[in-house]
Amino acid sequence: MPDEPTPEAESSAENDAESSAEKEPRKRNRSFLRELPILIGVALVLALLIKTFLVQAFFIPSESMERTLHGCPGCTGDRILVEKISYRVGDPQPGDIVVFRAPPAWEPETRVAKPTNPVRRAINWVGAAFGVPQPNEKDLVKRVIAVGGQTVQCCDAQGRVIVDGKPLDEPYVYQDDHRRFGPIKVPPGRLWVMGDHRSDSADSRFHLDDGHSGTVPVGNVIGRAFVIIWPPSRWNSLLSTRS
């Protein structure tokens, strides 16, 4: 008859099995810890690529686009997503809500307090680099009213903005001050932009003497705003209202 295992042998085998079972999770943990920096690096690179070429989030710090976009004092400023693909294959169109870099002659529409703490400044810089929205005095959001080749002026007898001789139907306008201007023919490659809160928007109307009749270069446009993502109570699409 074959030799039966002794109690000592059985105990040793059980200990070896338990030891192997304990080692496996430790090996997996060590493997995960080694891979974690690589995973974080890949995630950061993807975030940077998405922000640079596809979609970027922006914070609205001013009242100039109310009530389409909230930026009022005492309220939760809207966070919006801006897509960059459309303008890589085409130009902004009338009715688009765009984020653009303000021309040098334009004064900041709102002042943003910069942190004095160097650690906080560094955190903000890193956040901005990877797509976390930060208030910026030079990044403005407005609605495109007229594009290169079109003639824009204000106003007709009913206070409506006129583009190429036709009055615009603008249901999004809030507190219109009917400030008169024009007629102005928008140069090729430039845009005439206005805020939806017409009585509180330092837009093209306020920069007629900047050397370009208040128009903005298409090259300054960062992208088209297409959705409000924060706060959740204001989730909404921002698709163009005019063709």
Side-chain angles (χ1 to χ4, degrees):
M1 292 182 63
D3 294 337
E4 294 184 0
T6 63
E8 291 79 2
E10 290 179 349
S11 176
S12 176
E14 290 175 358
N15 290 338
D16 289 343
E18 291 176 0
S19 178
S20 297
E22 292 174 357
K23 288 178 180 178
E24 282 302 317
R26 287 201 294 268
K27 288 181 180 178
R28 286 196 294 269
N29 289 339
R30 286 197 295 269
S31 176
F32 175 74
L33 291 175
R34 285 196 298 268
E35 294 173 358
L36 184 59
I38 298 174
L39 294 174
I40 293 174
V42 170
L44 291 176
V45 170
L46 286 175
L48 184 60
L49 290 174
I50 290 171
K51 178 233 176 183
T52 302
F53 298 106
L54 299 178
V55 177
Q56 185 174 351
F58 283 88
F59 171 73
I60 307 302
S62 80
E63 303 172 63
S64 70
M65 281 295 292
E66 290 185 348
R67 299 181 176 173
T68 305
L69 298 174
H70 279 185
C72 55
C75 71
T76 301
D78 287 347
R79 270 70 169 174
I80 59 175
L81 285 184
V82 169
E83 60 91 3
K84 303 181 177 183
I85 301 174
S86 295
Y87 299 154
R88 294 185 185 278
V89 296
D91 289 333
Q93 297 300 310
D96 288 356
I97 298 174
V98 297
V99 173
F100 61 95
R101 197 73 173 162
W106 288 34
E107 291 292 325
E109 191 170 52
T110 184
R111 296 291 178 179
V112 177
K114 297 181 180 180
T116 56
N117 186 298
V119 175
R120 182 63 184 173
R121 284 204 304 269
I123 292 173
N124 286 359
W125 183 88
V126 172
F130 291 98
V132 178
Q134 308 286 339
N136 191 316
E137 294 177 351
K138 297 298 284 184
D139 291 340
L140 304 182
V141 56
K142 305 290 180 191
R143 190 181 295 271
V144 177
I145 302 301
V147 299
Q150 292 186 311
T151 299
V152 59
Q153 68 182 99
C154 185
C155 305
D156 70 358
Q158 287 150 0
R160 295 174 296 182
V161 173
I162 302 169
V163 175
D164 289 342
K166 297 179 180 179
L168 302 182
D169 178 21
E170 299 185 284
Y172 43 76
V173 170
Y174 172 58
Q175 292 185 356
D176 198 345
D177 59 2
H178 307 295
R179 178 184 291 267
R180 295 191 173 274
F181 60 85
I184 294 168
K185 186 167 184 178
V186 181
R190 302 188 74 89
L191 307 169
W192 178 272
V193 296
M194 297 170 70
D196 289 356
H197 189 175
R198 295 283 160 85
S199 62
D200 194 11
S201 176
D203 47 41
S204 290
R205 299 168 297 165
F206 286 79
H207 300 91
L208 295 174
D209 298 325
D210 66 356
H212 300 282
S213 300
T215 59
V216 175
V218 170
N220 282 30
V221 175
I222 297 169
R224 179 179 67 98
F226 70 98
V227 68
I228 300 171
I229 58 170
W230 193 264
S233 61
R234 285 185 45 76
W235 284 344
N236 195 20
S237 169
L238 296 172
L239 296 178
S240 173
T241 57
R242 302 209 317 270
S243 58

